[in-house]
Amino acid sequence: MQFFDISRQFNLSDILTPFKTLEDLSHQEWILSKVRVDHDCLADSEMIEGQAVLKSNQNIQIELEWLIQDTGHELQVLFKGIETAAVSETLVVVKGAQLIDVDQQLLSSQALSLWIDGTLLPLMPNIRKEIKARLNLWDYVEYDG
């Protein structure tokens, strides 16, 4: 029989969502599950942005915001807030788990960003090619004449 401390207020999602450390996430297999493109064809912006959803074999999802930068000789995929300067909005969302550190405290977004840059992205060496392969970049090219 399981007892709960009724003096505490419980959030049902806290009970049902597993707690994972970054070490736990490192031992899972990750795939690129979905790519979304956010581009306003009517605007003058040459920036192509979107979201990549990475999914693990234990049904945990990490949503990363990305943008494509033209370096002059290639289109480079950069992850916003990880490989670019972070802005005020949330750029990384984790679903299916609550991330904690070794002291059982909720993980900071800065620690998660460092883990993504140093561990997750090297685990998926072809992720940039996969994102570009799922885009039809001809939709974003300006035609002359």
Side-chain angles (χ1 to χ4, degrees), residues 9-19 95-98 106:
Q9 183 176 13
F10 288 96
N11 183 343
L12 187 58
S13 67
D14 290 346
I15 297 169
L16 299 176
T17 306
F19 289 89
K95 295 181 178 177
Q98 294 189 53
L106 286 178

Side-chain angles (χ1 to χ4, degrees), residues 21-46:
T21 64
L22 294 178
E23 184 69 24
D24 296 333
L25 296 184
S26 298
H27 295 294
Q28 297 178 24
E29 294 177 30
W30 293 90
I31 61 162
L32 179 61
S33 170
K34 186 188 311 181
V35 174
R36 187 188 79 219
V37 178
D38 298 327
H39 183 72
D40 183 359
C41 295
L42 300 176
D44 287 337
S45 173
E46 294 182 13

Side-chain angles (χ1 to χ4, degrees), residues 1 23 45 51 67 81 89 97 116 141:
M1 182 177 279
E23 184 69 24
S45 173
Q51 181 186 66
L67 60 88
E89 75 251 17
I116 289 170
V141 174

